[in-house]
Amino acid sequence: MRLRPYFGILAALAMSSGALADDEVKQPTSREIIEATSPNDWRPLDPENTLYLDLPAGKIVIELRPDFAPKHVQRIKELTREKFYDGIVFHRVIEGFMAQGGDPTGTGTGSSEKPNLEAEFTRDAGEVEGLNVIGRDRIAPRIGYVDGMPVAAQPEALRTFIKDSRVDLWPVHCPGVMSMARATDPNSANSQFFLMIGDSRLNLDKRYTGWGWIVDGFEASRRIVRGEPPVRPTPIIRARIAADVPESERDNIKVLKTGNPVFLQYLKAAGQVNDTGLVKDICEIRVPIKKDGKIEL
């Protein structure tokens, strides 16, 4: 029997060791991170705070956020249950900006007969549960999420220096965020609303009341006919609160918990947050969901 030369064995071991080392340093992709999650990393939507908007291009599923805008969410739910929004069109739709509807006259000057609402532009960060700061960006010192809603906030350290000890937190007007239209008076919101189809943080944040975000069906919103007004305005065929829909007919959707460490791991793997905490673009981030058990990123 011939003995293998010693140097050959060392070379083989070195190659094997190198292969193992390469495997050990290989980082998982963003999709691999999500696919490795457990059921506890996901949450269902609350039917009482889920809004369905049926459009010609499909259904939009919206999570209502009473923790940000309780009076506005209450108004949206009241009008929805009164079937106020059924048949109303999107009368002002600007590409790269927003789609506005909720006016029964379709002119942009109408409203419901209910009284106007007081502004709910910001909240005290200390009053909103579940804030998960993922970092900072060029606009805000704190950027993060409350569940799936993208938010920005002042530094918590300001609390001891401000007279009323209030540190503001607000929804950011990124694509998919729902907000309330108003006139010049900050307290003039009534029934008209708009959904964001572009990034308008610098123009709208802290000046308009954000009350929800699109969980599923954003592509249907992309097919709303543009124009001021559109030649053939897109109607809301039907608006419903999920709690009023038979359970068997509700969308089976779960949302990745944005307060879990796995969410930040996912963002870093996707290149959205670097090791210094700088957020690349909060408006490019899509919170993963599971629809009928299938992951959608």
Side-chain angles (χ1 to χ4, degrees):
M1 180 177 68
R2 295 185 60 184
L3 297 177
R4 179 190 249 180
Y6 183 63
F7 69 86
I9 297 174
L10 290 178
L13 288 173
M15 292 177 61
S16 175
S17 176
L20 288 174
D22 289 343
D23 289 341
E24 290 172 357
V25 298
K26 182 181 178 182
Q27 300 297 318
T29 66
S30 57
R31 174 165 285 277
E32 288 171 341
I33 288 172
I34 299 304
E35 288 177 345
T37 55
S38 71
N40 290 334
D41 292 320
W42 302 81
R43 65 177 179 88
L45 296 174
D46 173 13
E48 183 58 32
N49 285 304
T50 301
L51 172 66
Y52 295 155
L53 292 184
D54 292 327
L55 306 185
K59 182 192 296 181
I60 298 177
V61 180
I62 299 161
E63 182 171 48
L64 306 175
R65 300 303 313 197
D67 46 351
F68 288 99
K71 295 177 183 177
H72 286 70
V73 167
Q74 182 180 358
R75 173 62 55 82
I76 293 291
K77 290 163 73 171
E78 287 176 351
L79 292 176
T80 296
R81 285 177 162 141
E82 293 170 7
K83 302 188 182 304
F84 175 88
Y85 290 120
D86 293 4
I88 285 181
V89 301
F90 286 93
H91 62 271
R92 180 171 178 251
V93 187
I94 304 174
E95 179 59 43
F97 183 30
M98 59 88 215
Q100 184 173 338
D103 174 7
T105 70
T107 64
T109 61
S111 66
S112 76
E113 296 180 353
K114 299 180 186 295
N116 289 343
L117 297 163
E118 293 183 3
E120 295 178 301
F121 300 156
T122 65
R123 303 286 287 177
D124 188 326
E127 296 177 354
V128 179
E129 295 183 3
L131 171 62
N132 179 38
V133 176
I134 63 172
R136 69 191 188 286
D137 69 3
R138 60 186 175 83
I139 298 176
R142 290 198 291 170
I143 286 290
Y145 287 83
V146 177
D147 290 332
M149 186 81 160
V151 299
Q154 294 177 311
E156 185 60 30
L158 283 179
R159 196 176 295 279
T160 57
F161 297 96
I162 299 176
K163 187 176 181 180
D164 61 359
S165 298
R166 177 188 168 102
V167 172
D168 282 342
L169 175 146
W170 58 93
V172 296
H173 284 77
C174 289
V177 167
M178 307 295 299
S179 194
M180 213 68 171
R182 62 173 176 84
T184 304
D185 181 355
N187 302 313
S188 59
N190 187 287
S191 64
Q192 291 192 42
F193 64 87
F194 57 92
L195 61 86
M196 298 302 302
I197 52 179
D199 175 356
S200 195
R201 292 176 58 191
L202 293 175
N203 296 323
L204 302 182
D205 283 8
K206 296 186 284 185
R207 297 178 57 212
Y208 290 82
T209 299
W211 51 265
W213 67 287
I214 295 176
V215 178
D216 186 48
F218 183 72
E219 287 307 310
S221 74
R222 293 291 306 162
R223 296 177 66 180
I224 295 173
V225 178
R226 273 50 173 167
E228 299 182 73
V231 176
R232 296 181 63 184
T234 300
I236 298 172
I237 298 171
R238 179 174 57 175
R240 297 171 292 168
I241 301 300
D244 302 334
V245 175
E247 188 171 354
S248 61
E249 298 177 18
R250 297 175 193 166
D251 288 67
N252 178 18
I253 294 175
K254 289 184 170 59
V255 181
L256 184 70
K257 295 178 181 178
T258 52
N260 280 9
V262 68
F263 181 60
L264 185 56
Q265 295 170 13
Y266 161 75
L267 294 180
K268 287 185 175 181
Q272 288 292 347
V273 182
N274 67 21
D275 290 336
T276 70
L278 182 65
V279 180
K280 180 181 178 182
D281 189 345
I282 186 72
C283 288
E284 289 184 353
I285 296 172
R286 294 290 177 266
V287 177
I289 68 169
K290 278 185 179 180
K291 187 173 183 180
D292 296 325
K294 182 180 178 181
I295 293 174
E296 295 184 6
L297 302 181

